Amino acid sequence: AQKVTQAQTEISVVEKEDVTLDCVYETRDTTYYLFWYKQPPSGELVFLIRRNSFDEQNEISGRYSWNFQKSTSSFNFTITASQVVDSAVYFCALSEDTGRRALTFGSGTRLQVQP
Amino acid sequence: AAGVIQSPRHLIKEKRETATLKCYPIPRHDTVYWYQQGPGQDPQFLISFYEKMQSDKGSIPDRFSAQQFSDYHSELNMSSLELGDSALYFCASSPETGGREAFFGQGTRLTVV
Protein backbone atom coordinates (compact mmCIF):
# COMPACT_ATOMS: atom_id res chain seq x y z
CA ALA A 1 0.00 0.00 0.00
CA GLN A 2 1.07 3.54 -0.60
CA LYS A 3 2.47 5.68 2.18
CA VAL A 4 3.91 9.16 2.56
CA THR A 5 6.05 10.13 5.53
CA GLN A 6 6.87 13.65 6.61
CA ALA A 7 9.03 13.15 9.65
CA GLN A 8 9.27 16.83 10.55
CA THR A 9 6.14 17.78 12.46
CA GLU A 10 7.07 21.40 13.00
CA ILE A 11 9.93 23.64 11.89
CA SER A 12 10.61 27.15 13.08
CA VAL A 13 13.02 29.45 11.26
CA VAL A 14 13.83 33.12 11.19
CA GLU A 15 13.02 35.12 8.11
CA LYS A 16 15.58 34.84 5.28
CA GLU A 17 16.78 31.44 6.42
CA ASP A 18 16.61 28.54 3.98
CA VAL A 19 14.51 25.56 5.03
CA THR A 20 14.06 22.07 3.62
CA LEU A 21 10.95 19.98 4.17
CA ASP A 22 11.47 16.24 3.85
CA CYS A 23 9.14 13.75 2.20
CA VAL A 24 9.65 10.00 1.83
CA TYR A 25 7.15 7.82 -0.01
CA GLU A 26 6.35 4.16 -0.54
CA THR A 27 4.55 2.69 -3.51
CA ARG A 28 4.53 -0.50 -5.58
CA ASP A 29 3.50 1.29 -8.74
CA THR A 30 6.17 2.09 -11.28
CA THR A 31 4.19 5.09 -12.46
CA TYR A 32 3.12 7.56 -9.82
CA TYR A 33 2.82 11.26 -9.16
CA LEU A 34 4.16 13.29 -6.27
CA PHE A 35 2.73 16.58 -5.10
CA TRP A 36 3.33 19.35 -2.62
CA TYR A 37 0.47 21.43 -1.25
CA LYS A 38 0.51 24.46 1.04
CA GLN A 39 -2.23 24.97 3.60
CA PRO A 40 -2.14 28.48 5.09
CA PRO A 41 -4.06 29.33 8.28
CA SER A 42 -7.11 30.20 6.16
CA GLY A 43 -7.41 26.48 5.40
CA GLU A 44 -7.39 26.12 1.64
CA LEU A 45 -5.07 23.66 -0.06
CA VAL A 46 -2.82 25.38 -2.55
CA PHE A 47 -1.18 23.26 -5.25
CA LEU A 48 2.58 23.90 -5.51
CA ILE A 49 4.03 21.21 -7.75
CA ARG A 50 3.47 17.82 -9.38
CA ARG A 51 6.19 15.41 -10.46
CA ASN A 52 5.73 12.11 -12.27
CA SER A 53 7.92 9.12 -11.51
CA PHE A 54 9.76 9.31 -14.81
CA ASP A 55 10.89 12.88 -14.38
CA GLU A 56 13.70 13.16 -11.87
CA GLN A 57 14.74 16.61 -12.91
CA ASN A 58 14.93 19.04 -10.05
CA GLU A 59 12.71 22.05 -10.36
CA ILE A 60 13.06 25.63 -9.25
CA SER A 61 10.26 28.16 -9.11
CA GLY A 62 11.30 31.45 -7.62
CA ARG A 63 12.29 30.80 -4.00
CA TYR A 64 10.95 27.24 -4.15
CA SER A 65 12.89 24.21 -5.33
CA TRP A 66 12.22 20.49 -5.29
CA ASN A 67 14.63 17.57 -5.23
CA PHE A 68 13.21 14.23 -6.42
CA GLN A 69 15.38 11.14 -5.87
CA LYS A 70 13.88 7.78 -6.80
CA SER A 71 16.88 5.95 -5.34
CA THR A 72 15.91 7.12 -1.86
CA SER A 73 12.15 7.52 -2.54
CA SER A 74 12.33 11.12 -1.49
CA PHE A 75 10.79 14.34 -2.78
CA ASN A 76 12.14 17.18 -0.69
CA PHE A 77 11.07 20.80 -0.84
CA THR A 78 13.35 23.75 -0.14
CA ILE A 79 12.31 27.34 0.47
CA THR A 80 15.14 29.80 0.00
CA ALA A 81 15.18 33.08 1.92
CA SER A 82 11.99 32.24 3.80
CA GLN A 83 9.39 34.90 4.44
CA VAL A 84 6.68 35.27 7.08
CA VAL A 85 4.07 34.58 4.37
CA ASP A 86 5.56 31.10 3.94
CA SER A 87 4.19 30.16 7.36
CA ALA A 88 1.77 27.33 6.72
CA VAL A 89 1.36 23.57 6.87
CA TYR A 90 2.96 21.85 3.91
CA PHE A 91 1.73 18.47 2.71
CA CYS A 92 3.50 16.03 0.46
CA ALA A 93 1.17 13.64 -1.39
CA LEU A 94 1.28 10.62 -3.70
CA SER A 95 -1.06 9.45 -6.45
CA GLU A 96 -0.60 6.06 -8.09
CA ASP A 97 -1.28 5.28 -11.70
CA THR A 98 -2.73 1.76 -11.38
CA GLY A 99 -3.32 1.73 -7.63
CA ARG A 100 -5.11 4.44 -5.71
CA ARG A 101 -5.37 7.54 -7.84
CA ALA A 102 -6.70 9.70 -5.03
CA LEU A 103 -4.03 11.52 -3.09
CA THR A 104 -2.41 9.91 -0.11
CA PHE A 105 -1.07 12.70 2.07
CA GLY A 106 1.74 12.80 4.53
CA SER A 107 0.97 14.09 8.00
CA GLY A 108 2.23 17.55 7.09
CA THR A 109 4.99 19.84 8.32
CA ARG A 110 4.03 23.05 10.06
CA LEU A 111 6.47 25.80 9.11
CA GLN A 112 6.69 28.89 11.28
CA VAL A 113 8.75 31.75 9.88
CA GLN A 114 9.54 34.33 12.54
CA PRO A 115 10.19 37.93 11.55
CA ALA B 1 -9.78 30.81 -14.33
CA ALA B 2 -12.66 28.81 -12.92
CA GLY B 3 -11.92 26.93 -9.73
CA VAL B 4 -13.62 24.21 -7.74
CA ILE B 5 -16.62 25.65 -5.93
CA GLN B 6 -17.86 24.21 -2.66
CA SER B 7 -20.92 25.17 -0.73
CA PRO B 8 -21.64 25.99 1.93
CA ARG B 9 -18.34 27.28 3.30
CA HIS B 10 -19.43 26.79 6.88
CA LEU B 11 -22.08 24.55 8.37
CA ILE B 12 -23.16 23.96 11.94
CA LYS B 13 -25.33 20.93 12.69
CA GLU B 14 -26.48 19.13 15.78
CA LYS B 15 -25.75 15.51 16.57
CA ARG B 16 -27.91 13.04 14.67
CA GLU B 17 -28.85 15.62 12.02
CA THR B 18 -28.05 15.27 8.33
CA ALA B 19 -25.88 17.50 6.14
CA THR B 20 -25.37 17.85 2.41
CA LEU B 21 -22.23 19.35 0.96
CA LYS B 22 -22.01 20.40 -2.66
CA CYS B 23 -19.10 20.55 -5.08
CA TYR B 24 -18.90 22.07 -8.54
CA PRO B 25 -15.74 20.87 -10.32
CA ILE B 26 -13.66 22.78 -12.80
CA PRO B 27 -15.29 22.56 -16.27
CA ARG B 28 -14.08 19.58 -18.34
CA HIS B 29 -12.60 17.86 -15.29
CA ASP B 30 -14.06 14.38 -15.31
CA THR B 31 -12.92 13.19 -11.88
CA VAL B 32 -14.12 14.41 -8.49
CA TYR B 33 -12.66 13.47 -5.12
CA TRP B 34 -13.91 14.07 -1.59
CA TYR B 35 -11.54 14.35 1.37
CA GLN B 36 -12.07 14.82 5.09
CA GLN B 37 -9.55 16.71 7.20
CA GLY B 38 -9.96 16.50 10.96
CA PRO B 39 -8.36 19.10 13.25
CA GLY B 40 -4.58 18.84 13.03
CA GLN B 41 -4.82 15.92 10.61
CA ASP B 42 -3.93 15.38 6.98
CA PRO B 43 -6.74 15.11 4.43
CA GLN B 44 -8.14 11.60 4.18
CA PHE B 45 -9.68 10.31 0.96
CA LEU B 46 -13.37 9.46 1.20
CA ILE B 47 -14.67 8.69 -2.28
CA SER B 48 -14.17 9.57 -5.94
CA PHE B 49 -16.20 9.66 -9.13
CA TYR B 50 -15.17 9.39 -12.74
CA GLU B 51 -17.71 10.35 -15.37
CA LYS B 52 -20.51 10.18 -12.80
CA MET B 53 -19.65 6.67 -11.68
CA GLN B 54 -18.04 5.87 -8.34
CA SER B 55 -14.43 5.03 -9.13
CA ASP B 56 -12.83 4.45 -5.73
CA LYS B 57 -13.77 4.37 -2.09
CA GLY B 58 -11.60 5.27 0.84
CA SER B 59 -12.41 5.60 4.52
CA ILE B 60 -15.97 6.80 4.05
CA PRO B 61 -18.34 5.86 6.90
CA ASP B 62 -21.49 3.95 6.01
CA ARG B 63 -23.48 6.95 7.26
CA PHE B 64 -22.07 8.98 4.38
CA SER B 65 -23.00 8.70 0.73
CA ALA B 66 -22.13 10.65 -2.36
CA GLN B 67 -23.08 10.95 -5.97
CA GLN B 68 -22.15 12.86 -9.07
CA PHE B 69 -24.91 14.32 -11.21
CA SER B 70 -25.33 14.74 -14.95
CA ASP B 71 -23.93 18.29 -14.77
CA TYR B 72 -20.85 16.83 -12.99
CA HIS B 73 -21.51 18.51 -9.69
CA SER B 74 -21.22 16.20 -6.71
CA GLU B 75 -22.92 16.03 -3.33
CA LEU B 76 -21.74 14.42 -0.12
CA ASN B 77 -24.61 13.40 2.13
CA MET B 78 -23.91 12.77 5.79
CA SER B 79 -26.52 11.33 8.13
CA SER B 80 -26.69 10.68 11.88
CA LEU B 81 -23.94 13.20 12.41
CA GLU B 82 -21.51 12.62 15.24
CA LEU B 83 -19.20 15.05 17.04
CA GLY B 84 -16.27 13.32 15.37
CA ASP B 85 -17.57 14.31 11.95
CA SER B 86 -16.53 17.89 12.67
CA ALA B 87 -13.89 18.55 10.04
CA LEU B 88 -12.94 20.41 6.92
CA TYR B 89 -14.37 18.66 3.87
CA PHE B 90 -12.60 19.22 0.58
CA CYS B 91 -13.69 18.48 -2.89
CA ALA B 92 -11.06 18.26 -5.63
CA SER B 93 -11.36 17.81 -9.36
CA SER B 94 -8.86 16.73 -11.95
CA PRO B 95 -8.70 15.58 -15.53
CA GLU B 96 -8.39 11.81 -15.74
CA THR B 97 -5.67 12.03 -18.35
CA GLY B 98 -2.70 14.31 -18.56
CA GLY B 99 -1.13 15.88 -15.55
CA ARG B 100 -3.68 14.83 -12.97
CA GLU B 101 -3.17 17.87 -10.82
CA ALA B 102 -5.91 17.79 -8.21
CA PHE B 103 -7.33 21.26 -7.73
CA PHE B 104 -9.07 21.71 -4.43
CA GLY B 105 -12.05 23.78 -3.48
CA GLN B 106 -11.84 26.04 -0.46
CA GLY B 107 -13.52 23.43 1.69
CA THR B 108 -16.61 23.25 3.84
CA ARG B 109 -16.02 23.51 7.56
CA LEU B 110 -18.58 21.32 9.30
CA THR B 111 -19.09 21.71 13.02
CA VAL B 112 -21.29 19.20 14.81
CA VAL B 113 -22.52 20.34 18.21
Side-chain angles (χ1 to χ4, degrees):
Chain A
Q2 69 276 43
K3 186 178 178 182
V4 177
T5 301
Q6 294 179 254
Q8 304 150 308
T9 306
E10 191 158 345
I11 300 175
S12 183
V13 299
V14 177
E15 223 176 1
K16 296 183 185 170
E17 281 186 28
D18 299 346
V19 58
T20 295
L21 310 182
D22 299 332
C23 173
V24 174
Y25 62 92
E26 294 175 32
T27 177
R28 291 180 186 168
D29 266 24
T30 54
T31 303
Y32 50 90
Y33 301 82
L34 295 164
F35 300 77
W36 276 95
Y37 286 87
K38 174 182 180 180
Q39 188 171 45
S42 50
E44 70 269 28
L45 283 166
V46 179
F47 167 79
L48 295 178
I49 190 171
R50 174 190 60 87
R51 261 284 173 266
N52 72 50
S53 51
F54 298 111
D55 183 2
E56 282 194 76
Q57 275 193 335
N58 292 333
E59 178 150 342
I60 298 174
S61 176
R63 296 184 298 108
Y64 295 170
S65 61
W66 291 269
N67 180 257
F68 175 29
Q69 292 196 340
K70 282 179 78 170
S71 60
T72 55
S73 297
S74 64
F75 186 42
N76 297 337
F77 171 33
T78 297
I79 301 175
T80 303
S82 58
Q83 299 176 0
V84 172
V85 293
D86 296 327
S87 298
V89 178
Y90 290 86
F91 290 100
C92 180
L94 167 73
S95 167
E96 295 174 326
D97 196 46
T98 56
R100 168 143 291 163
R101 295 191 172 194
L103 295 170
T104 297
F105 286 84
S107 54
T109 298
R110 180 177 298 277
L111 175 64
Q112 287 269 34
V113 181
Q114 309 287 348
Chain B
V4 177
I5 307 290
Q6 288 188 247
S7 68
R9 293 291 310 281
H10 301 272
L11 192 57
I12 299 175
K13 290 285 187 179
E14 296 189 354
K15 279 194 308 184
R16 293 179 288 277
E17 284 194 318
T18 61
T20 297
L21 309 186
K22 296 186 179 182
C23 169
Y24 296 85
I26 293 172
R28 292 181 295 282
H29 279 195
D30 45 25
T31 305
V32 167
Y33 303 87
W34 284 98
Y35 295 84
Q36 177 192 57
Q37 186 180 23
Q41 305 292 314
D42 55 284
Q44 294 289 316
F45 169 62
L46 293 177
I47 195 167
S48 63
F49 293 87
Y50 170 64
E51 285 291 343
K52 293 159 280 185
M53 299 285 288
Q54 181 183 306
S55 54
D56 196 5
K57 207 169 178 180
S59 48
I60 185 169
D62 292 341
R63 299 177 289 106
F64 292 10
S65 65
Q67 56 182 322
Q68 187 176 29
F69 295 85
S70 57
D71 64 351
Y72 288 89
H73 95 272
S74 178
E75 295 184 1
L76 178 66
N77 299 293
M78 299 177 284
S79 62
S80 303
L81 287 169
E82 302 173 357
L83 296 179
D85 296 329
S86 296
L88 198 47
Y89 290 84
F90 287 105
C91 172
S93 74
S94 71
E96 178 65 9
T97 57
R100 206 184 302 150
E101 285 88 355
F103 294 94
F104 283 81
Q106 291 190 293
T108 294
R109 187 171 297 279
L110 172 67
T111 303
V112 182
V113 297

